[in-house]
């Protein structure tokens, strides 16, 4: 069972959305094995598998496969916990995204964010969500993208839209809900789900910017993050592994250099966290394999490549070890469960 978890503060946002769509959110939580009262406990966090189950059940109960795209017109900073307040006091949205990446673990350690400026005046924020033992429902990723974008519109005080949204699964038959949710072109079959903005839009000053509050929120967020320091190195290593996998199997010395430490220090810190580089590499690959095999537009060869395997035979052996089945048969099982 995966140890990855997400803040109950974020899950309360899901509950609000479901209630707004006429779904009995408490009943959905209970069906997913979550005590609704647990969401109000200070510092509560929920397993990533349980949150995926919430979305699966919500889609079934509502009969709406696009329910993750439904959003209120305003997403308040409280939906992002202390991270939201740190973001809104920044000078601009580019700085706000930097804070989101820096303090993301307060919200969830099941999500990896990557920022990129392409040199052509575009800025992308890419999302990789780890679902543990089960595939991540597309509604779960769609909720994240819509929530981040809606918050950006609110905090900027402008009718801000991405120039493009890229989603990491095949296009559905009905594209209208995506156009309505994002107000921009939406592409499918991408390696990572991403929001792409014009850089000029992100460097415009925010009316909520306040340097004094920004410094205070930075201190508070930093102190908050210390609560999770026991897994800090493991989290950073997993992020580095996710970034490097498409270029081949990451090596421990490469990741150590990226994290500005020696191999020996990296090994010792991971041992202190009851982990190891080999275990993190294996667990990260396994979790991503579940997600990629659920994306039918990816061939088995492409999946092996994205997981950093130089040969398909190595990928087949890994799947037999992880799932007791070769990848094609495991994919068939995932389809039957859907």
């Amino acid at each position: 069972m995966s140890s990855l978890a997400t803040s109950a503060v974020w899950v309360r946002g899901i509950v609000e959305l479901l209630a707004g769509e006429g779904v009995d959110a408490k009943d959905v939580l209970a069906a997913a094995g979550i005590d609704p009262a647990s969401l109000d406990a200070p510092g509560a966090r929920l397993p990533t598998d349980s949150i995926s189950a919430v979305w699966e059940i919500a889609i079934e109960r509502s009969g709406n496969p696009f329910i993750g795209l439904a959003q209120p017109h305003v997403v308040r900073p409280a939906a992002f916990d202390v991270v939201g307040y740190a973001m809104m006091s920044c000078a601009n949205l580019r700085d706000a995204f930097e804070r989101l990446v820096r303090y993301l673990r307060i919200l969830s350690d099941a999500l990896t964010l990557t920022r990129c400026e392409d040199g052509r005046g575009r800025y992308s924020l890419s999302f990789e969500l780890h679902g543990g033992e089960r595939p991540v429902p597309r509604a779960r990723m769609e909720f994240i993208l819509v929530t981040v974008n809606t918050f950006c519109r609110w905090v900027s005080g402008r009718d801000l839209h991405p120039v493009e949204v890229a989603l990491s699964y095949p296009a559905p038959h009905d594209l209208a809900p995506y156009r309505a949710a994002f107000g921009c072109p939406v592409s499918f079959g991408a390696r990572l789900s991403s929001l792409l903005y014009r850089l000029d839009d992100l460097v415009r000053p925010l009316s909520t910017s306040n340097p004094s509050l920004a410094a205070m929120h930075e201190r508070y967020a930093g102190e908050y993050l210390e609560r999770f320091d026991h897994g800090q190195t493991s989290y950073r290593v997993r992020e580095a592994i996710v970034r490097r996998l498409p270029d081949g199997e990451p090596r421990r010395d490469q990741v150590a250099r990226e994290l500005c430490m020696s191999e020996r220090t990296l090994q010792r810190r991971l041992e202190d966290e009851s982990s190891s580089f080999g275990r993190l590499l294996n667990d990260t690959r396994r979790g991503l394999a579940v997600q990629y095999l659920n994306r039918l537009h990816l061939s088995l060869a492409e999946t092996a490549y994205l997981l950093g395997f130089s040969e398909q035979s190595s990928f087949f052996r890994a799947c037999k070890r992880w799932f007791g089945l070769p990848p094609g048969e495991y994919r068939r099982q995932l389809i039957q469960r859907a």
Side-chain angles (χ1 to χ4, degrees), residues 143-219:
F143 174 77
I144 293 171
L145 296 179
V146 173
T147 300
V148 170
N149 185 60
T150 305
F151 177 73
C152 288
R153 294 177 68 184
W154 176 76
V155 77
S156 68
R158 292 181 279 123
D159 189 23
L160 177 69
H161 295 280
V163 294
E164 182 185 350
V165 172
L167 296 169
S168 62
Y169 38 76
H173 295 301
D174 186 5
L175 300 182
Y178 295 90
R179 298 191 191 101
F182 295 111
C184 70
V186 180
S187 62
F188 296 85
R191 189 178 78 81
L192 295 174
S193 294
S194 305
L195 295 168
L196 292 89
Y197 293 94
R198 287 195 322 128
L199 186 57
D200 287 348
D201 285 334
L202 300 189
V203 297
R204 291 175 61 177
L206 294 178
S207 60
T208 55
S209 175
N210 186 312
S212 298
L213 281 178
M216 182 186 73
H217 291 146
E218 284 276 298
R219 289 195 300 272

Side-chain angles (χ1 to χ4, degrees), residues 11-293:
V11 180
R12 289 202 290 269
I14 301 172
V15 168
E16 290 174 7
L17 177 142
L18 297 182
E21 293 299 301
V23 178
D24 188 334
K26 289 185 177 180
D27 187 51
V28 170
L29 290 174
I34 299 171
D35 178 2
S38 69
L39 300 187
D40 297 322
R45 296 173 76 81
L46 300 173
T48 187
D49 280 311
S50 298
I51 299 170
S52 288
V54 166
W55 283 110
E56 291 170 3
I57 296 165
I59 292 168
E60 180 185 357
R61 300 278 172 91
S62 68
N64 179 11
F66 303 110
I67 194 169
L69 294 170
Q71 273 290 318
H73 293 296
V74 174
V75 176
R76 301 295 185 186
F80 292 79
D81 207 335
V82 64
V83 184
Y85 296 101
M87 292 171 68
M88 69 181 292
S89 58
C90 287
N92 53 53
L93 283 173
R94 182 169 64 174
D95 289 352
F97 283 150
E98 190 275 331
R99 299 302 189 281
L100 178 59
V101 172
R102 182 186 303 177
Y103 298 119
L104 177 65
R105 201 152 45 90
I106 292 174
L107 291 172
S108 178
D109 56 9
L111 183 65
T112 300
L113 289 183
T114 305
R115 296 165 295 149
C116 180
E117 297 179 22
D118 65 6
R120 296 179 296 156
R122 299 211 314 179
Y123 179 108
S124 65
L125 189 66
S126 299
F127 302 74
E128 183 75 65
L129 188 57
H130 307 275
E133 301 295 323
R134 63 202 312 150
V136 174
R138 63 168 63 188
R140 183 177 176 188
M141 178 59 76
E142 290 164 357
F143 174 77
I144 293 171
L145 296 179
V146 173
T147 300
V148 170
N149 185 60
T150 305
F151 177 73
C152 288
R153 294 177 68 184
W154 176 76
V155 77
S156 68
R158 292 181 279 123
D159 189 23
L160 177 69
H161 295 280
V163 294
E164 182 185 350
V165 172
L167 296 169
S168 62
Y169 38 76
H173 295 301
D174 186 5
L175 300 182
Y178 295 90
R179 298 191 191 101
F182 295 111
C184 70
V186 180
S187 62
F188 296 85
R191 189 178 78 81
L192 295 174
S193 294
S194 305
L195 295 168
L196 292 89
Y197 293 94
R198 287 195 322 128
L199 186 57
D200 287 348
D201 285 334
L202 300 189
V203 297
R204 291 175 61 177
L206 294 178
S207 60
T208 55
S209 175
N210 186 312
S212 298
L213 281 178
M216 182 186 73
H217 291 146
E218 284 276 298
R219 289 195 300 272
Y220 185 39
E223 293 169 0
Y224 202 130
L225 194 58
E226 287 179 5
R227 302 181 190 183
F228 309 110
D229 267 354
H230 65 280
Q232 185 174 20
T233 301
S234 296
Y235 178 82
R236 293 172 65 202
V237 168
R238 183 167 62 82
E239 282 191 311
I241 288 172
V242 169
R243 287 193 296 269
R244 288 178 170 272
L245 275 174
D247 298 321
E249 181 171 317
R251 299 199 315 267
R252 187 171 63 184
D253 62 317
Q254 294 173 325
V255 172
R257 283 197 299 273
E258 183 176 332
L259 301 184
C260 300
M261 61 181 74
S262 68
E263 270 193 86
R264 190 180 186 88
T265 298
L266 175 61
Q267 181 177 351
R268 185 180 68 253
R269 290 188 180 180
L270 291 177
E271 287 174 353
D272 290 343
E273 297 170 12
S274 300
S275 188
S276 70
F277 183 80
R279 184 185 306 169
L280 287 170
L281 176 59
N282 181 73
D283 291 350
T284 300
R285 272 177 157 167
R286 184 188 188 283
L288 291 174
V290 174
Q291 310 311 319
Y292 293 158
L293 288 172

